[in-house]
Amino acid sequence: MRPVQVPGAAEIETDPLGIEASQERGEFPYWLVLMLLIIGLFAYLTFFDPTYVGARRAILPGLGITIRATLIAFVIALVIGLIAGLGRIARNSVVRTLATTYVEFIRGVPMLVLIFAVALVIVPLLADALGFSNRLPQEVRAIIALALIYGGYIAEVFRAGVESVHPGQLEASRSLGMPHSSAMRHVVIPQAVRNVLPALGNDFISMLKDSSLLSVLGVTEITQQARIFASSTFQFREGFLVLTFLYLTMTLVLSLLVAWLGRRLKRG
Amino acid sequence: MVEQPAIGDNDRVVVHRLSKRFGNVQAVADVNLRVRVGEAMVIVGPSGSGKSTVLRCMNHLEVPTKGAIYIDGVHLEDPKTDINAVRKEMGMVFQQFNLFPHLTVMGNLTLAQKRVRRRSQKEAEEIGMQQLNRVGIPEKARMKPAQLSGGQQQRVAIARSLAMNPKVMLFDEPTSALDPEMINEVLDVMRELAASGMTMVVVTHEMGFAREIGSHLVMMDEGRVVEEGNAAEVFANPQNERTRAFFSKIL
């Protein structure tokens, strides 16, 4: 791990897979070879072994929902996170207090509990209060829940990102006569976002995995499909192997992408 | 509220009974200074003497604990003062350059021109190019700051301030972070600037430079001005004991 360290700033992970660290030690990433072998075996079983056909056919249709829910929730979480993250360091103490309360609330409750709470309590309450129908589809509730939860986590990432920008940047912009808002928008935030891109990538990967929790709401993403398939056919091994294969493939590809991005950004 | 000092038409910067405290540290204690139009004031003194703090108070990067700063008669600490309007008439050059690393050199030069001076992209680039020529590195316009040497970065930082057509330039130890062989290229730019009649306040450790361009030398120690006057005279015949001690150590 080689976090970007600025005095007083939070750490920002740039080498989550330890690829760079292992290169520096002159070590070949054997874990990656082993991982590819495992994925290869799982892929072979999923696509070519006749006993896995049923599991594959049952689970794959959920993939679209997994990806769609993750993508939409992530985009909303980015917006919430940016607002809450800037709120955490706002000069206005009311804004700062509200943002901090939100972040600490989210961080203090297990994700599974939050998903239940948001989907089954908060969304219906909000829908009532705003006069919407209470019959929002479970997938929409699930996306709102995931976005609100990750908004809290991503807020901390953005806060750390802004704090990682050298204070001299703000001073230089202000001494050129730029108002605070304009200095933040054109000088500080672009650098902050660049600094946190790898961390955001990691949050996206976490979110993709955590979307499996949406199965508890009955959203028919891949985990739910696997559960239904396994419990109705008793093919637990087949069901969960295919499920594992899907998650592992997606997260490994994304992790490599994030690691590559991190190294590219570091080079400048 | 302190009493208002007399401010003449020629007084660009007036520092009136300025004090600044950081926690338990009295960084600046009751400092009075006057920078006249077209003058190059050089502030020298040992580390921790409060000279950078005085400079940073001049464009409100630090807020005084007591006292007042007037820029062209405008009281900086007055809550009704539009600090951005004052700052756009002042340039500031930092020890660490503080160029914007995500922008090209030209991007650095045009950002505030567009956002603050409301100039068009084309006009801002023309003015930016003039200033890059002035500091001698027009060929670096499309590069990123990280691709330049320290001396070149500092010259870009000066050009960035000049592009705003400031009435006064503040320099906070502009050569202290530079390798020795790069100091002169930056001092040359500052010499030219002083010769052109720019009003300047320079905090520096470069005594030779202070003697050469400083029409007005200020010696600070322990947060106070211990001596001030014509640079050549102060160097030739320092009156204060601490000034003599400082010169003997550094010259």
Side-chain angles (χ1 to χ4, degrees), chain B residues 52-108:
Chain B
S52 283
T53 306
V54 170
L55 192 79
R56 288 165 59 82
C57 284
M58 286 183 187
N59 71 350
H60 211 61
L61 282 181
E62 299 291 351
V63 181
T65 312
K66 270 194 245 164
I69 308 277
Y70 298 86
I71 305 295
D72 279 332
V74 177
H75 183 192
L76 285 196
E77 293 76 26
D78 185 339
K80 289 193 287 289
T81 297
D82 176 2
I83 188 63
N84 297 322
V86 179
R87 279 176 175 156
K88 75 178 182 192
E89 311 294 339
M90 307 178 79
M92 175 99 173
V93 176
F94 299 87
Q95 185 177 348
Q96 299 295 339
F97 328 137
N98 292 346
L99 292 180
F100 307 136
H102 61 302
L103 301 177
T104 61
V105 165
M106 188 49 84
N108 271 272

Side-chain angles (χ1 to χ4, degrees), chain B residues 6 17 26 29 51 80 95 98 140 187 197 209 218 235:
Chain B
R17 308 210 59 179
Q26 187 75 42
K51 51 197 192 306
K80 289 193 287 289
Q95 185 177 348
N98 292 346
K140 307 289 186 193
L187 294 183
F209 176 76
V218 174
F235 273 109

Side-chain angles (χ1 to χ4, degrees), chain B:
Chain B
M1 187 74 193
V2 281
E3 76 285 7
Q4 165 118 16
I7 298 173
D9 287 346
N10 249 347
D11 292 325
R12 182 126 285 167
V13 182
V14 174
V15 176
H16 182 63
R17 308 210 59 179
L18 175 72
S19 293
K20 176 69 182 180
R21 186 176 261 287
F22 295 106
N24 282 329
V25 181
Q26 187 75 42
V28 177
D30 201 21
V31 163
N32 292 288
L33 290 173
R34 243 163 235 269
V35 185
R36 301 203 162 76
V37 172
E39 172 178 84
M41 175 186 279
V42 178
I43 308 178
V44 300
S47 300
S49 59
K51 51 197 192 306
S52 283
T53 306
V54 170
L55 192 79
R56 288 165 59 82
C57 284
M58 286 183 187
N59 71 350
H60 211 61
L61 282 181
E62 299 291 351
V63 181
T65 312
K66 270 194 245 164
I69 308 277
Y70 298 86
I71 305 295
D72 279 332
V74 177
H75 183 192
L76 285 196
E77 293 76 26
D78 185 339
K80 289 193 287 289
T81 297
D82 176 2
I83 188 63
N84 297 322
V86 179
R87 279 176 175 156
K88 75 178 182 192
E89 311 294 339
M90 307 178 79
M92 175 99 173
V93 176
F94 299 87
Q95 185 177 348
Q96 299 295 339
F97 328 137
N98 292 346
L99 292 180
F100 307 136
H102 61 302
L103 301 177
T104 61
V105 165
M106 188 49 84
N108 271 272
L109 291 166
T110 55
L111 179 63
Q113 290 193 65
K114 289 186 289 184
R115 296 287 149 201
V116 179
R117 288 265 183 232
R118 302 279 162 208
R119 289 175 186 154
S120 68
Q121 177 71 33
K122 186 166 169 287
E123 191 187 0
E125 286 200 12
E126 278 170 17
I127 295 171
M129 213 57 213
Q130 284 167 20
Q131 298 305 335
L132 273 188
N133 271 310
R134 188 169 184 183
V135 301
I137 39 175
E139 72 282 4
K140 307 289 186 193
R142 300 289 153 208
M143 290 197 178
K144 286 285 182 75
Q147 296 170 282
L148 307 184
S149 73
Q152 291 168 337
Q153 289 190 48
Q154 192 61 299
R155 287 191 277 161
V156 171
I158 295 172
R160 176 174 69 178
S161 285
L162 292 176
M164 294 293 286
N165 306 109
K167 292 179 182 162
V168 53
M169 287 283 289
L170 310 177
F171 292 86
D172 189 4
E173 302 197 24
T175 57
S176 297
L178 294 176
D179 291 336
E181 72 270 21
M182 293 172 185
I183 290 177
N184 252 318
E185 62 187 75
V186 172
L187 294 183
D188 281 341
V189 170
M190 292 168 66
R191 282 187 191 102
E192 185 270 323
L193 210 52
S196 76
M198 172 66 77
T199 311
M200 298 162 65
V201 183
V202 185
V203 168
T204 186
H205 290 290
E206 293 295 320
M207 289 301 147
F209 176 76
R211 188 190 328 230
E212 182 188 339
I213 73 141
S215 45
H216 184 164
L217 187 82
V218 174
M219 164 75 194
M220 282 188 70
D221 192 24
E222 292 178 354
R224 292 173 191 280
V225 173
V226 296
E227 187 156 358
E228 98 173 274
N230 176 283
E233 284 169 26
V234 176
F235 273 109
N237 189 14
Q239 298 298 307
N240 185 285
E241 180 51 43
R242 280 186 283 187
T243 313
R244 279 199 290 270
F246 180 64
F247 284 173
S248 71
K249 260 184 262 171
I250 210 157
L251 292 179

Side-chain angles (χ1 to χ4, degrees), chain A residues 15-164:
Chain A
D15 186 28
L17 295 185
I19 289 178
E20 201 164 313
S22 53
Q23 276 173 352
E24 273 165 23
R25 286 195 307 269
E27 217 173 69
F28 187 79
Y30 292 108
W31 68 269
L32 191 56
V33 178
L34 212 54
M35 190 72 106
L36 289 173
L37 283 174
I38 295 170
I39 289 178
L41 173 66
F42 283 17
Y44 171 78
L45 292 172
T46 302
F47 292 107
F48 299 105
D49 190 314
T51 54
Y52 286 80
V53 171
R56 189 184 82 213
R57 291 203 177 133
I59 297 168
L60 268 181
L63 196 58
I65 296 179
T66 290
I67 293 171
R68 182 172 68 198
T70 306
L71 278 177
I72 297 174
F74 191 73
V75 171
I76 301 171
L78 280 179
V79 176
I80 298 175
L82 184 61
I83 295 169
L86 292 177
R88 289 269 282 146
I89 47 177
R91 288 172 299 178
N92 182 317
S93 68
V94 176
V95 173
R96 211 168 52 230
T97 303
L98 288 176
T100 307
T101 309
Y102 163 64
V103 169
E104 292 302 328
F105 188 99
I106 295 289
R107 295 209 301 183
V109 182
M111 197 175 297
L112 185 58
V113 177
L114 276 173
I115 287 174
F116 279 128
V118 172
L120 304 178
V121 182
I122 295 174
V123 170
L125 277 179
L126 276 179
D128 274 351
L130 299 171
F132 286 122
S133 130
N134 200 354
R135 301 202 169 273
L136 281 175
Q138 287 297 67
E139 190 188 337
V140 175
R141 296 171 190 231
I143 288 173
I144 294 173
L146 215 50
L148 277 174
I149 295 165
Y150 267 84
Y153 296 151
I154 289 175
E156 286 301 89
V157 172
F158 276 123
R159 181 186 61 80
V162 168
E163 286 175 354
S164 74

Side-chain angles (χ1 to χ4, degrees), chain A residues 123-262:
Chain A
V123 170
L125 277 179
L126 276 179
D128 274 351
L130 299 171
F132 286 122
S133 130
N134 200 354
R135 301 202 169 273
L136 281 175
Q138 287 297 67
E139 190 188 337
V140 175
R141 296 171 190 231
I143 288 173
I144 294 173
L146 215 50
L148 277 174
I149 295 165
Y150 267 84
Y153 296 151
I154 289 175
E156 286 301 89
V157 172
F158 276 123
R159 181 186 61 80
V162 168
E163 286 175 354
S164 74
V165 177
H166 193 279
Q169 293 290 309
L170 190 59
E171 288 189 349
S173 344
R174 295 306 307 274
S175 58
L176 287 163
M178 291 167 71
H180 188 268
S181 57
S182 169
M184 288 299 285
R185 202 173 119 213
H186 296 287
V187 175
V188 177
I189 293 176
Q191 293 181 60
V193 168
R194 202 184 140 91
N195 290 351
V196 300
L197 279 180
L200 289 179
N202 290 334
D203 272 348
F204 183 78
I205 295 169
S206 295
M207 194 185 219
L208 181 71
K209 290 186 292 180
D210 287 336
S211 72
S212 66
L213 292 171
L214 303 183
S215 60
V216 299
L217 297 177
V219 176
T220 52
E221 42 71 68
I222 49 178
T223 303
Q224 177 67 358
Q225 299 287 25
R227 282 172 59 184
I228 295 170
F229 170 78
S231 56
S232 59
T233 61
F234 296 103
Q235 295 185 13
F236 287 98
R237 189 189 56 199
E238 290 81 356
F240 288 109
L241 186 140
V242 170
L243 184 63
T244 305
F245 160 70
L246 290 176
Y247 280 121
L248 212 50
T249 309
M250 290 191 288
T251 53
L252 185 71
V253 170
L254 289 171
S255 294
L256 290 172
L257 214 67
V258 169
W260 170 81
L261 176 77

